[in-house]
Each structure stands twice: as structure tokens, then as C-alpha cells.
Amino acid sequence: MTTPAVVCIGMAGSGKTTFMQQLNSHLHAIDSPPYILNLDPAVLNIPYAPNIDIRDSVNYKEVMKQYNLGPNGAIITALNLFATKIDQVLGIVEQRAKSVSHVLIDTPGQIECFVWSASGAILLDALASAMPTVIAYIVDTPRTTSPATFMSNMLYACSILYKTKLPLIIVFNKTDVVDAHFATEWMTDFESFQAALKALDDDENNPEGGSGYMNSLMNSMSLVLDEFYRHLDVVSVSAYTGAGMKNFLEAVDRKVEEFNTDYKAEMDRIITKRQQEKEAERQRSLTKLMKDMGIDSQRTTKSKDDQAQTISDAEDEEDEDQFADQFGNDEDAEGILDPDYEDANDSEDAMS
């Protein structure tokens, strides 16, 4: 089976990097070491040793100074600079992927800097064109106990799914603090979510309650997302204790199968379309260049038998014309150009 790539995406503070560390430790424990990429240029320390680190190529602080950028702008610019070397990076990853079980990619905590940036799209498209790619959306479970916050996270996950067009796994992290059973129940049982909204509305002491408009909006959103939930795999893990890592890897295997059956054909279609567009653009540029050089278009429309296919063919045609002018007829010219030619007259003289 082709080595899968797991791209970890999550809001700042969701425990994404700690999850990467725990997943790395788990894979090493079962003798399946992964290949790790760190794409967060602003992180100071990471609790694992990445094989490819964006910080080795781009200095985040220098980017801020040279371009007068803030934190988010510097992250986007650093990713843009790194994306210019994506062919080299992808070549290394493809080579190393033959000897590892998984390729793990850690991303910046500022989701919009990666998912909705041009560099993020380039990196994900290049990765998905080379190997099965799965998105792991890390959710901070203790901060999702409120129906409003839960719905915000689900809308984020929905937008990531349709922006990346890749299989998505919802990973409820920090289950050692709060169990994620409530979240999985809200995703599978619409009435359970309705009851939570009603309880929130009835609680006058809750600052999030008492808003009929907000509850109506969340009710509508839950109905809209019902179909979205059916295409997701949901896993509960603890990046602190390591619980749920086995279940997560099983979900990755299922999503790899889904990628090969449902997503790969679409990716191949997109790649083919881009190649065709590049070829069409190349042809347009060539036509414009020929027009600028004043080359007669009629000479380019000759039949295949008459058209010179290479420079050497064109030179041969010029030589034939010169010999024809020198000797006065095409037969003599062809005879001299042909090394195997034997003059019939000379043969007759020799025989006589």
C-alpha cells in the first residue's frame, strides 16, 4: 500500500503539536517510524525531531523585518517562499516514503494562513498528487462543550473539507480532561443537539443563552451539516496520555481507501486539466513568438511529408536544393546525396 500523508490542522491551542508528538511516539513504539515535516515557521520549540523543517529554509523573524509584516503576514510569506521549493521537497518525501509507514505534516496554528493561502493549496495539491493524503482536524474538546463553539468548529471543518477536497478526520483531543461523547452524540443525533440548545436557552444565568436568533441559526446549521457528518470519521484521542492513537490510525487507513476510490480520480482529472492548460499556453506562446519573428504561417502548415521535423532535416532540404541547382536536375542531386547511389552510365562504361 502506498504510504499515506497525514496533514494535521487545528486552531491555536488545540494540542496539534502535542498530538504530533504522541502519534510519532506511538508509531515508533510499534516499529513503524514516520517521516515528519514541520511547516510552522513561527514555532520556537517542538517536542519531536522533524525530518524536514521549514525553519531551516526560512527565517521567520527576518521575514518580519525585511518585509515589515505582522505575525500572520510573515507566516504566509514564509510558506510562499517554502512553496517555491516544493518540487525538491516532494522529491525527497517521495524517496523517503518508500521506507516509512506514514508521512506526518504539522501546520501553523493560524488555520487561515495555511488552508486559505495560495502556498497552502500548492503544498496540499502537490502532496495529494504524489500519495494518498488525509486531513486530521484537531479539535479542543474542553472548549467545545458549548453548542455555539461546537457549531463553529464544525463549520470550520466543513470549510476545510470543501477547500482542500481531501478526506477529513475529526479528532477530538484532550479527552483526558473532558470526554468527547457529547460531541459524537450531537453529530449523530439531531434531537440531542436540539435538547442542548433548549437547555442553553432556558438557562438565564448563562451568557450564551437567551438569544432566539442564535439558537435558530444553530438549528439551521445543524440541519445543513447533517449530510456533512455522514462523510466524516470521528476519533477521540488524548495527546497527553496517548489514548485513541490506534483508533486514529485505523481511521487513516479507512480514509486512504476512500481517497483511492473517490478522491484520486478527481485529483487525476485536475492534474490532467492543468497539464492541458500548460500545453495550450505553451502553444499560444510559441505561436506569438513565431508571429513576432515574422515567420510565414504557411510554411508551418505544410504536409507531414514536406515539413522538416528537425533542424537536421531542414539542413538536408537546403543541401538538396543547392545540389539540384548545381547539377541541373533532381535525379543527379538525389544520386549525390545518396551514399548507396550507383551511376548507371558509369556501370555500363565499366562493363563495356
Side-chain angles (χ1 to χ4, degrees), residues 23 26 235 237 242-254:
L23 182 59
H26 178 78
V235 181
V237 304
M245 292 298 162
K246 181 180 178 181
N247 294 335
F248 174 75
L249 292 176
E250 292 174 352
V252 170
D253 292 339
R254 290 193 295 271

Side-chain angles (χ1 to χ4, degrees), residues 228-241:
F228 165 69
Y229 294 149
R230 298 178 186 179
H231 299 281
L232 297 178
D233 274 46
V234 180
V235 181
S236 300
V237 304
S238 172
Y240 180 72
T241 64

Side-chain angles (χ1 to χ4, degrees), residues 65-112:
K65 290 180 181 178
Q66 292 183 16
Y67 297 97
N68 296 321
L69 297 171
N72 288 355
I75 290 175
I76 294 175
T77 303
L79 287 171
N80 290 341
L81 294 172
F82 188 77
T84 60
K85 304 295 183 182
I86 186 59
D87 291 338
Q88 299 177 20
V89 174
L90 194 60
I92 297 173
V93 172
E94 287 182 308
Q95 185 65 27
R96 299 296 186 271
K98 300 176 182 178
S99 58
V100 298
S101 61
H102 296 77
V103 176
L104 307 180
I105 298 96
D106 195 5
T107 61
Q110 291 75 7
I111 297 179
E112 65 279 0

Side-chain angles (χ1 to χ4, degrees), residues 49-204:
N51 300 98
I52 296 178
D53 196 338
I54 188 175
R55 298 176 300 171
D56 296 335
S57 304
V58 183
N59 189 319
Y60 172 72
K61 292 184 179 179
E62 286 299 320
V63 169
M64 291 182 67
K65 290 180 181 178
Q66 292 183 16
Y67 297 97
N68 296 321
L69 297 171
N72 288 355
I75 290 175
I76 294 175
T77 303
L79 287 171
N80 290 341
L81 294 172
F82 188 77
T84 60
K85 304 295 183 182
I86 186 59
D87 291 338
Q88 299 177 20
V89 174
L90 194 60
I92 297 173
V93 172
E94 287 182 308
Q95 185 65 27
R96 299 296 186 271
K98 300 176 182 178
S99 58
V100 298
S101 61
H102 296 77
V103 176
L104 307 180
I105 298 96
D106 195 5
T107 61
Q110 291 75 7
I111 297 179
E112 65 279 0
C113 294
F114 181 79
V115 176
W116 283 277
S117 66
S119 56
I122 292 171
L123 292 167
L124 286 177
D125 288 348
L127 200 63
S129 65
M131 62 189 67
T133 305
V134 178
I135 303 294
Y137 179 61
I138 314 299
V139 179
D140 189 345
T141 307
R143 295 183 180 178
T144 316
T145 53
S146 166
T149 310
F150 169 81
M151 187 56 60
S152 298
N153 268 288
M154 293 302 103
L155 288 173
Y156 242 117
C158 181
S159 63
I160 291 172
L161 173 66
Y162 290 108
K163 177 65 173 66
T164 62
K165 296 182 177 65
L166 294 171
L168 181 70
I169 302 174
I170 300 291
V171 181
F172 286 103
N173 193 18
K174 304 181 182 180
T175 54
D176 56 298
V177 179
V178 175
D179 190 276
H181 176 71
F182 74 93
T184 56
E185 186 178 5
W186 286 352
M187 295 176 70
T188 55
D189 186 359
F190 174 75
E191 293 181 356
S192 175
F193 185 75
Q194 291 279 341
L197 281 178
K198 187 175 185 306
L200 181 67
D201 192 39
D202 293 341
D203 188 0
E204 297 179 356

